[in-house]
């Protein structure tokens, strides 16, 4: 009850950006969010936020939005977008995972209007440049595709996100809810088993790895049942504890948003209001 009243008066930056991230995770909302007057500028401002989880969450939202090809040009030309992404990559205090995520978003937008060949050259150039900024401590990222039994609604997706975000070395993830999959980008020195352990810790979901055989067919490989030690993320402060988490209250709203764009629209205007108040006073 208490949470609701504070949410309507003055949501904090993290709950606003997490809400935008949750909305952006649904492909049906991605066009609307980018067309909205306040949301993209707001997310760009969040990239300069002093609180690391806010920056990381804003980047995840942008990563989701950039998956929609039709959004890329507008995102790339939005005032301050590319500059702010570069700032995140170059700032010495930015955690490694966040740098990699920022350079991933930068790459997607940068190559939005190029031919394939230019695209490859540009990506390689960007990658070398990013590695230079990231220093030798950040090895290359790798992609792991998980099939997650039990991933069947938005509250499960939130549980899964929370579990993955706690692991040091996770950069980004994309959910494909229709096929119960999650595509996770991780630092190359992180073992994929750590992801399975984290997902198993939700008690309601279990992960298998999706791999391609030599003939190109997909196979599901179960992980060993022995849990691996998972290194917790220390440079990101803990996300809001369960009982305070605004997403709990609004789960119902979020899961309905896809089928009712006006739900998303009213939420977006709340977010835009919050953003304009907090950044421009």
């Amino acid at each position: 009850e208490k949470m609701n009243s504070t949410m309507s008066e003055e949501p904090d930056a993290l709950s606003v950006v997490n809400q935008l991230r949750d909305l952006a995770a649904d492909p049906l909302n991605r066009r609307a969010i980018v067309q909205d007057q306040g949301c993209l500028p707001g997310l760009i401002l969040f990239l300069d936020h002093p609180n690391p989880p806010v920056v990381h969450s804003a980047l995840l939202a942008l990563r989701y939005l950039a998956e929609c090809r039709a959004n890329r040009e507008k995102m790339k030309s939005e005032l301050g977008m590319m500059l702010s992404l570069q700032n995140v990559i170059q700032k010495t205090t930015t955690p490694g995972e966040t740098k990699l995520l920022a350079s991933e978003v930068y790459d997607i937008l940068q190559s939005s209007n190029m031919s394939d060949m230019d695209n490859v050259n540009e990506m390689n150039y960007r990658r070398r440049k990013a590695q230079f900024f990231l220093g030798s401590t950040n090895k290359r990222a790798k992609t792991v595709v998980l099939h997650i039994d039990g991933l069947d609604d938005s509250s499960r997706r939130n549980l899964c996100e929370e579990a993955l975000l706690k692991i040091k070395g996770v950069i980004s993830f994309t959910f494909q809810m229709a096929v119960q999959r999650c595509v996770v980008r991780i630092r190359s020195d992180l073992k994929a088993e750590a992801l399975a352990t984290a997902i198993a810790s939700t008690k309601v979901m279990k992960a298998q790895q999706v791999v391609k055989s030599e003939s190109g067919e997909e196979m599901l490989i179960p992980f060993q049942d022995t849990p691996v030690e998972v290194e917790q993320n220390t440079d990101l402060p803990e996300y809001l504890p369960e009982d305070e988490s605004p997403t709990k209250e609004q789960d119902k709203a979020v899961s309905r948003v896809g089928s009712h764009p006006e739900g998303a629209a009213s939420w977006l205007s709340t977010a835009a209001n919050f953003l304009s108040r907090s950044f421009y006073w």
Side-chain angles (χ1 to χ4, degrees):
E1 202 43 58
K2 186 179 97 249
M3 190 62 221
N4 269 352
S5 61
T6 51
M7 193 69 197
S8 56
E9 288 158 28
E10 189 57 54
D12 68 319
L14 188 59
S15 59
V16 168
V17 75
N18 283 349
Q19 194 73 29
L20 278 171
R21 181 201 67 202
D22 288 350
L23 287 169
D26 184 338
L28 295 173
N29 297 329
R30 289 172 189 163
R31 297 287 289 272
I33 292 174
V34 167
Q35 296 310 314
D36 182 86
Q37 293 302 297
C39 283
L40 224 45
L43 283 169
I44 291 169
L45 289 166
F46 276 140
L47 295 179
D48 289 330
H49 201 277
N51 190 8
V54 170
V55 176
H56 198 84
S57 198
L59 283 166
L60 281 170
L62 292 170
R63 175 76 184 73
Y64 279 133
L65 297 175
E67 266 177 54
C68 169
R69 254 169 215 287
N71 282 342
R72 290 175 191 171
E73 273 305 303
K74 176 149 178 27
M75 289 175 71
K76 182 183 175 182
S77 58
E78 189 70 40
L79 188 69
M81 172 73 79
M82 302 307 269
L83 208 60
S84 296
L85 287 171
Q86 278 180 319
N87 286 343
V88 174
I89 296 166
Q90 292 169 25
K91 215 184 268 174
T92 49
T93 52
T94 306
E97 284 79 24
T98 307
K99 284 189 182 195
L100 281 166
L101 176 53
S103 35
E104 203 167 279
V105 175
Y106 188 100
D107 281 349
I108 293 170
L109 298 182
Q110 186 59 37
S111 56
S112 62
N113 57 356
M114 294 183 185
S115 72
D116 285 347
M117 205 47 229
D118 288 349
N119 203 338
V120 172
N121 294 338
E122 172 69 19
M123 287 291 233
N124 288 339
Y125 167 70
R126 284 281 318 139
R127 208 156 272 141
R128 281 200 304 277
K129 205 167 154 186
Q131 275 176 314
F132 171 74
F133 287 130
L134 296 171
S136 54
T137 51
N138 273 300
K139 299 191 189 67
R140 293 284 290 281
K142 62 183 177 185
T143 302
V144 178
V145 181
L146 301 175
H147 182 275
I148 302 174
D149 293 314
L151 179 67
D152 43 27
D153 63 23
S154 67
S155 65
R156 291 278 175 91
R157 189 190 70 214
N158 287 348
L159 271 181
C160 199
E161 275 197 343
E162 277 167 29
L164 290 172
L165 279 169
K166 286 191 181 122
I167 305 174
K168 195 170 177 56
V170 167
I171 300 159
S172 67
F173 34 76
T174 305
F175 289 98
Q176 299 166 344
M177 297 298 285
V179 286
Q180 294 190 306
R181 283 194 181 175
C182 182
V183 181
V184 192
R185 295 274 292 159
I186 58 177
R187 296 231 304 249
S188 53
D189 49 358
L190 179 67
K191 289 191 164 50
E193 284 75 13
L195 306 177
T197 303
I199 286 162
S201 74
T202 64
K203 304 278 193 287
V204 288
M205 289 177 281
K206 197 172 177 221
Q208 293 174 289
Q209 190 169 356
V210 181
V211 294
K212 275 201 162 60
S213 69
E214 303 214 333
S215 60
E217 283 179 74
E218 290 192 343
M219 302 185 303
L220 292 182
I221 309 279
F223 287 100
Q224 302 307 318
D225 274 343
T226 49
V228 293
E229 250 333 281
V230 173
E231 193 184 345
Q232 297 287 307
N233 237 330
T234 44
D235 43 15
L236 291 181
E238 277 299 298
Y239 280 69
L240 294 175
E242 274 306 309
D243 53 358
E244 285 178 28
S245 170
T247 50
K248 269 276 163 283
E249 293 297 328
Q250 297 196 317
D251 231 6
K252 301 172 205 55
V254 172
S255 53
R256 284 200 310 269
V257 156
S259 46
H260 300 290
E262 69 278 6
S266 68
W267 206 91
L268 292 176
S269 64
T270 313
N273 271 335
F274 166 78
L275 294 167
S276 57
R277 274 208 313 283
S278 51
F279 290 109
Y280 303 117
W281 45 268

